[in-house]
Coordinates of all heavy atoms in Angstrom, one line a residue:
I788 N -12.2 7.4 -6.7 CA -11.4 6.2 -6.8 C -12.1 5.2 -7.7 O -13.3 4.8 -7.5 CB -11.2 5.6 -5.3 CG1 -10.2 4.4 -5.4 CG2 -12.4 5.2 -4.7 CD1 -8.8 4.7 -5.8
D789 N -11.3 4.7 -8.7 CA -11.9 3.8 -9.7 C -11.9 2.4 -9.0 O -10.9 1.9 -8.5 CB -10.9 3.9 -11.0 CG -11.4 2.9 -12.0 OD1 -12.5 2.9 -12.4 OD2 -10.5 2.0 -12.4
S790 N -13.0 1.6 -9.3 CA -13.1 0.3 -8.7 C -12.0 -0.7 -9.1 O -11.4 -1.3 -8.3 CB -14.5 -0.3 -8.9 OG -15.5 0.6 -8.3
P791 N -11.8 -0.8 -10.4 CA -10.7 -1.8 -10.8 C -9.4 -1.4 -10.3 O -8.6 -2.2 -9.8 CB -10.7 -1.8 -12.4 CG -12.2 -1.3 -12.6 CD -12.5 -0.3 -11.6
T792 N -9.1 -0.1 -10.5 CA -7.8 0.4 -10.0 C -7.7 0.3 -8.5 O -6.6 0.0 -8.0 CB -7.5 1.9 -10.4 OG1 -7.8 1.9 -11.9 CG2 -6.1 2.3 -10.1
G793 N -8.7 0.6 -7.8 CA -8.8 0.6 -6.3 C -8.6 -0.8 -5.8 O -7.9 -1.1 -4.8
T794 N -9.1 -1.8 -6.6 CA -8.9 -3.2 -6.2 C -7.4 -3.6 -6.3 O -6.9 -4.3 -5.4 CB -9.8 -4.2 -7.1 OG1 -11.1 -3.7 -7.0 CG2 -9.6 -5.6 -6.8
V795 N -6.7 -3.2 -7.3 CA -5.3 -3.5 -7.4 C -4.6 -2.7 -6.3 O -3.6 -3.4 -5.8 CB -4.8 -3.0 -8.7 CG1 -3.2 -3.3 -8.9 CG2 -5.5 -3.7 -9.9
L796 N -5.0 -1.6 -5.9 CA -4.3 -0.9 -4.7 C -4.5 -1.7 -3.4 O -3.7 -1.7 -2.7 CB -4.8 0.5 -4.6 CG -4.5 1.5 -5.7 CD1 -5.0 2.9 -5.5 CD2 -3.0 1.6 -5.9
V797 N -5.7 -2.2 -3.3 CA -6.0 -3.1 -2.1 C -5.0 -4.3 -2.1 O -4.5 -4.6 -1.1 CB -7.5 -3.6 -2.2 CG1 -7.6 -4.6 -1.0 CG2 -8.4 -2.4 -1.9
V798 N -4.8 -5.0 -3.3 CA -3.9 -6.1 -3.3 C -2.5 -5.7 -3.0 O -1.8 -6.3 -2.3 CB -4.0 -6.7 -4.7 CG1 -3.0 -7.9 -4.8 CG2 -5.4 -7.4 -4.9
L799 N -2.1 -4.5 -3.6 CA -0.8 -3.9 -3.4 C -0.6 -3.5 -1.9 O 0.5 -3.9 -1.4 CB -0.6 -2.7 -4.2 CG 0.8 -2.0 -4.4 CD1 1.7 -3.1 -4.9 CD2 0.7 -0.8 -5.2
S800 N -1.5 -3.1 -1.3 CA -1.5 -2.7 0.1 C -1.3 -4.1 0.9 O -0.4 -4.1 1.9 CB -2.8 -2.0 0.7 OG -2.8 -1.9 2.1
A801 N -2.0 -5.1 0.6 CA -1.9 -6.3 1.4 C -0.6 -6.9 1.2 O 0.0 -7.3 2.3 CB -3.0 -7.4 0.9
S802 N 0.1 -6.9 0.1 CA 1.3 -7.6 -0.2 C 2.5 -6.8 0.5 O 3.3 -7.3 1.2 CB 1.6 -7.8 -1.7 OG 1.6 -6.6 -2.3
A803 N 2.4 -5.4 0.2 CA 3.5 -4.6 0.8 C 3.4 -4.5 2.3 O 4.3 -4.5 3.0 CB 3.5 -3.2 0.1
G804 N 2.2 -4.3 2.8 CA 2.0 -4.1 4.3 C 2.4 -5.3 5.0 O 3.1 -5.3 6.1
S805 N 2.0 -6.6 4.5 CA 2.3 -7.7 5.2 C 3.7 -8.0 5.2 O 4.4 -8.5 6.2 CB 1.5 -9.0 4.6 OG 1.8 -9.1 3.3
G806 N 4.4 -7.6 4.1 CA 5.8 -7.8 3.9 C 6.6 -7.0 4.9 O 7.6 -7.4 5.5
I807 N 6.2 -5.7 5.2 CA 6.9 -4.9 6.1 C 6.7 -5.3 7.5 O 7.7 -5.2 8.3 CB 6.4 -3.4 5.8 CG1 6.9 -3.0 4.4 CG2 6.9 -2.5 6.9 CD1 6.3 -1.6 4.1
L808 N 5.5 -5.8 7.8 CA 5.3 -6.2 9.1 C 6.1 -7.5 9.5 O 6.5 -7.7 10.6 CB 3.7 -6.5 9.3 CG 2.9 -5.3 9.3 CD1 1.3 -5.7 9.5 CD2 3.2 -4.3 10.5
A809 N 6.1 -8.4 8.4 CA 6.9 -9.6 8.6 C 8.4 -9.4 8.7 O 9.0 -10.2 9.4 CB 6.7 -10.5 7.4
A810 N 8.8 -8.3 8.3 CA 10.3 -7.9 8.3 C 10.6 -7.2 9.6 O 11.7 -6.8 9.8 CB 10.7 -7.0 7.2
G811 N 9.5 -7.0 10.5 CA 9.8 -6.4 11.8 C 9.3 -4.9 11.9 O 9.6 -4.3 12.9
G812 N 8.7 -4.4 10.8 CA 8.4 -3.0 10.9 C 7.2 -2.9 11.7 O 6.3 -3.8 11.8
S813 N 6.9 -1.6 12.1 CA 5.8 -1.3 12.9 C 4.6 -1.0 11.9 O 4.8 -0.7 10.9 CB 6.1 0.0 13.8 OG 6.3 1.1 12.9
P814 N 3.3 -1.1 12.5 CA 2.2 -0.7 11.7 C 2.3 0.7 11.1 O 1.9 0.9 9.9 CB 1.0 -0.8 12.7 CG 1.4 -1.9 13.7 CD 2.9 -1.6 13.8
A815 N 2.9 1.6 11.9 CA 3.0 3.0 11.4 C 3.9 3.0 10.2 O 3.6 3.7 9.1 CB 3.5 4.0 12.6
T816 N 5.0 2.3 10.3 CA 5.9 2.3 9.2 C 5.3 1.6 7.9 O 5.5 2.1 6.8 CB 7.2 1.5 9.6 OG1 7.8 2.1 10.7 CG2 8.2 1.4 8.4
A817 N 4.6 0.5 8.2 CA 3.9 -0.2 7.0 C 2.8 0.7 6.3 O 2.8 0.8 5.1 CB 3.2 -1.4 7.5
I818 N 2.1 1.5 7.2 CA 1.0 2.5 6.6 C 1.8 3.5 5.8 O 1.4 3.8 4.7 CB 0.3 3.1 7.7 CG1 -0.6 2.0 8.4 CG2 -0.6 4.2 7.3 CD1 -1.3 2.4 9.7
Q819 N 2.9 4.1 6.3 CA 3.6 5.1 5.5 C 4.2 4.6 4.2 O 4.1 5.3 3.3 CB 4.7 5.6 6.4 CG 5.4 6.8 5.8 CD 6.7 7.2 6.6 OE1 7.6 6.5 6.7 NE2 6.7 8.4 7.2
S820 N 4.8 3.4 4.3 CA 5.3 2.9 3.1 C 4.2 2.5 2.1 O 4.5 2.7 0.8 CB 6.1 1.5 3.5 OG 7.1 1.8 4.4
V821 N 3.1 2.0 2.5 CA 2.0 1.7 1.6 C 1.6 2.9 0.9 O 1.3 2.9 -0.4 CB 0.9 1.0 2.2 CG1 -0.4 0.8 1.4 CG2 1.3 -0.5 2.6
M822 N 1.3 4.0 1.7 CA 0.9 5.2 1.2 C 1.9 5.8 0.2 O 1.4 6.4 -0.9 CB 0.5 6.3 2.2 CG -0.6 5.9 3.1 SD -2.2 5.8 2.2 CE -2.3 7.5 1.5
L823 N 3.1 5.7 0.4 CA 4.1 6.1 -0.5 C 4.1 5.4 -1.8 O 4.2 5.9 -2.9 CB 5.5 6.0 0.0 CG 5.9 7.1 1.0 CD1 7.3 6.8 1.6 CD2 6.0 8.5 0.4
I824 N 3.8 4.1 -1.8 CA 3.6 3.2 -3.0 C 2.4 3.7 -3.7 O 2.4 3.7 -5.0 CB 3.5 1.8 -2.6 CG1 5.0 1.3 -2.0 CG2 3.1 0.9 -3.8 CD1 4.7 -0.1 -1.3
F825 N 1.3 4.0 -3.0 CA 0.1 4.5 -3.7 C 0.4 5.8 -4.4 O -0.1 6.0 -5.5 CB -1.1 4.7 -2.6 CG -1.7 3.5 -2.1 CD1 -2.6 3.5 -1.0 CD2 -1.4 2.3 -2.6 CE1 -3.2 2.4 -0.6 CE2 -1.9 1.1 -2.1 CZ -2.8 1.2 -1.1
T826 N 1.2 6.7 -3.8 CA 1.5 7.9 -4.4 C 2.3 7.6 -5.7 O 2.1 8.4 -6.7 CB 2.2 8.9 -3.4 OG1 1.4 9.1 -2.3 CG2 2.6 10.2 -4.1
A827 N 3.3 6.8 -5.6 CA 4.1 6.4 -6.8 C 3.3 5.8 -7.9 O 3.4 6.2 -9.1 CB 5.3 5.4 -6.4
A828 N 2.3 5.0 -7.5 CA 1.4 4.4 -8.6 C 0.5 5.5 -9.2 O 0.3 5.5 -10.4 CB 0.5 3.4 -7.9
T829 N 0.1 6.5 -8.4 CA -0.7 7.6 -8.9 C 0.2 8.5 -9.9 O -0.4 8.8 -11.0 CB -1.2 8.6 -7.7 OG1 -2.0 7.8 -6.9 CG2 -1.9 9.7 -8.3
A830 N 1.4 8.8 -9.5 CA 2.2 9.6 -10.5 C 2.6 8.8 -11.7 O 2.6 9.3 -12.8 CB 3.4 10.0 -9.7

């Protein structure tokens, strides 16, 4: 995992995860969504 890229992923996780939780989503849903976003960023 590249440090600069990983840092951007950390920021992306914070923004996406908090948004899903604020919208009423469960932690499991937020985790799954964030991981899908990570996969999309990788591709």
Side-chain angles (χ1 to χ4, degrees):
I788 184 68
D789 177 56
S790 295
T792 310
T794 302
V795 179
L796 291 179
V797 170
V798 176
L799 188 57
S800 171
S802 60
S805 60
I807 293 172
L808 291 176
S813 65
T816 301
I818 292 169
Q819 184 188 68
S820 300
V821 169
M822 289 302 301
L823 282 174
I824 293 169
F825 286 174
T826 299
T829 300

